[in-house]
Amino acid sequence: MITHLRNERLSVRGKNRFLDLLIQASPQGIVILNFNKEITDINPAGLKILRITHPEEVKGKRLEEAPFELAAGLATLKQGDNIILRTNGISAYRCIRSSFVDQGFDHPFILIEELTQELLQVEKSSYERIIRMMSHEVNNSVGAISATLNVVSDIFTTHENQEWQDVLPAVNASFDRCNHLAHFISNLAHVVRIPLPTLSHVSLNELARSVEALVRPECKQRNIHLHLDLTPNDKLIYIDGIQFEQVLVNLLKNAYESINHDGEIRILTHSSPVSITIEDNGPGIPDEVKDKLFTPFFTTKPTGQGIGLLFVREVLTNHKCGFTLTTQATQTCFRITF
């Protein structure tokens, strides 16, 4: 009997050791809770996915009290749930809540798998195919219609028939609409054809100064105070400087259009971690809008095309940069980490 118990104990110890190694090596994040729904352990993949630097910051806390972005969503999971949670309107995670039995009691745990890259790739393939099809059909039609309208406009202009003269403004307006449609399709195609970044070392502070100079005149017209808050420990970042200028100008444009008039925008650079932040004191972004901001062709602007933040997303993804968007009633903050 003693030999049998010893063998069983060794077997259980071996299985527990194997389970510990499996948890540590798992590519999925694993958050283990105790009976009081407090965090007792997180494996290395979980720390990376949740961007937790020091595990001690979260151990012993309930999920709703934890300081990482997914905490609120994870706290709502019930036993057996298998759902996808999103943060920043772009990052997507499959989250499963289950439990294991230890000493006769159920211990809850949560599996977290990041799906961001897979979903972005599927989404990108879909909208690229749609844009190519639209570009082909629209450009062929617009080209023929524009040429015909040009001929008609020339005929109406060279004749003094009053009836034709009355129609001429409508012809010109139609020609302008064709040009607008061609420009719209061209902008969409530009997003599809974003070139891979041409990388070089760029000063983080000089990049901030450059974009500040580009948007300052527009901010001045709107009576918006534009402030630079630069780190004294400037860093060189390995990026495509031209593409990043476009990204930051897009973000600043969104900021001053959100404020409209009489506000404040701050551009901040940080050396640890190396990052740049754009803050504005506009009205903030509702949660239902925030979750859709990086969705292709989604826009809240009457004349918007929904490609500005799509361009931002593609460039940052190509550079493998991290980014976060946080918003409150009187502040919106977009941070890019290199």
Side-chain angles (χ1 to χ4, degrees), residues 38-82:
E38 297 167 340
I39 299 171
T40 59
D41 201 8
I42 303 178
N43 72 337
L47 296 174
K48 183 177 180 181
I49 290 173
L50 299 174
R51 297 179 177 84
I52 298 171
T53 307
H54 303 291
E56 294 74 19
E57 294 176 0
V58 297
K59 285 185 178 180
K61 292 186 177 180
R62 295 171 67 90
L63 280 172
E64 55 269 26
E65 301 169 346
F68 51 84
E69 280 190 290
L70 273 179
L74 295 180
T76 64
L77 292 178
K78 299 178 181 178
Q79 177 70 13
D81 279 353
N82 182 346

Side-chain angles (χ1 to χ4, degrees), residues 202-209 227-237 248 266-279 322-324 326 331-338:
V202 177
S203 159
L204 178 62
N205 284 351
E206 285 304 315
L207 176 67
R209 291 190 186 99
H227 301 283
L228 274 177
D229 188 351
L230 305 180
T231 174
N233 186 19
D234 191 14
K235 297 290 184 178
L236 289 179
I237 47 179
L248 295 173
R266 298 178 68 207
I267 305 173
L268 306 94
T269 59
H270 318 272
S271 58
S272 182
V274 181
S275 55
I276 186 167
T277 302
I278 294 175
E279 295 179 354
F323 58 97
T324 57
T326 56
Q331 186 185 61
T332 298
C333 175
F334 196 103
R335 185 169 189 174
I336 301 170
T337 306
F338 300 93

Side-chain angles (χ1 to χ4, degrees), residues 77-315:
L77 292 178
K78 299 178 181 178
Q79 177 70 13
D81 279 353
N82 182 346
I83 63 175
I84 293 178
L85 296 177
R86 288 183 176 270
T87 60
N88 301 323
I90 180 171
S91 300
Y93 305 88
R94 181 186 300 280
C95 303
I96 302 171
R97 177 158 179 159
S98 188
S99 64
F100 64 95
V101 178
D102 181 25
Q103 299 181 6
F105 295 95
D106 283 339
H107 279 262
F109 69 93
I110 298 173
L111 293 176
I112 307 171
E113 179 184 5
E114 186 164 5
L115 303 177
T116 306
Q117 293 305 318
E118 291 83 353
L119 291 179
L120 287 180
Q121 191 57 48
V122 170
E123 184 181 87
K124 185 177 181 181
S125 298
S126 299
Y127 74 68
E128 282 182 350
R129 188 164 55 250
I130 292 171
I131 290 174
R132 287 194 181 99
M133 181 184 68
M134 288 171 56
S135 297
H136 177 74
E137 296 297 330
V138 171
N139 286 334
N140 285 346
S141 301
V142 166
I145 293 170
S146 295
T148 303
L149 289 173
N150 261 329
V151 172
V152 172
S153 178
D154 290 342
I155 293 172
F156 286 179
T157 302
T158 56
H159 290 75
E160 297 182 359
N161 188 311
Q162 185 59 43
E163 292 182 1
W164 288 2
Q165 294 298 319
D166 292 341
V167 177
L168 187 58
V171 173
N172 291 334
S174 298
F175 182 76
D176 290 341
R177 291 298 301 166
C178 284
N179 285 338
H180 177 77
L181 183 57
H183 180 66
F184 174 75
I185 292 297
S186 175
N187 284 342
L188 293 182
H190 177 67
V191 175
V192 174
R193 295 194 298 265
I194 295 175
L196 292 175
T198 303
L199 303 176
S200 62
H201 286 101
V202 177
S203 159
L204 178 62
N205 284 351
E206 285 304 315
L207 176 67
R209 291 190 186 99
S210 175
V211 295
E212 187 266 350
L214 289 171
V215 300
R216 178 168 289 281
E218 180 66 27
C219 289
K220 187 175 181 180
Q221 286 186 359
R222 295 169 178 262
N223 195 33
I224 294 174
H225 299 287
L226 189 59
H227 301 283
L228 274 177
D229 188 351
L230 305 180
T231 174
N233 186 19
D234 191 14
K235 297 290 184 178
L236 289 179
I237 47 179
Y238 199 50
I239 59 168
D240 186 316
I242 295 175
Q243 289 188 4
F244 249 88
E245 273 194 2
Q246 289 179 278
V247 164
L248 295 173
V249 167
N250 267 334
L251 295 175
L252 287 163
K253 181 173 181 287
N254 286 342
Y256 65 63
E257 287 182 347
S258 172
I259 295 172
N260 194 17
H261 287 91
D262 305 321
E264 182 178 356
I265 297 175
R266 298 178 68 207
I267 305 173
L268 306 94
T269 59
H270 318 272
S271 58
S272 182
V274 181
S275 55
I276 186 167
T277 302
I278 294 175
E279 295 179 354
D280 69 74
N281 64 345
I285 305 170
D287 288 340
E288 62 272 15
V289 172
K290 178 185 173 185
D291 292 339
K292 300 175 184 176
L293 277 180
F294 293 93
T295 302
F297 319 128
F298 174 81
T299 181
T300 58
K301 302 173 185 176
T303 59
Q305 299 174 1
I307 60 175
L309 286 177
L310 178 59
F311 172 81
V312 169
R313 188 189 81 177
E314 291 300 311
V315 171

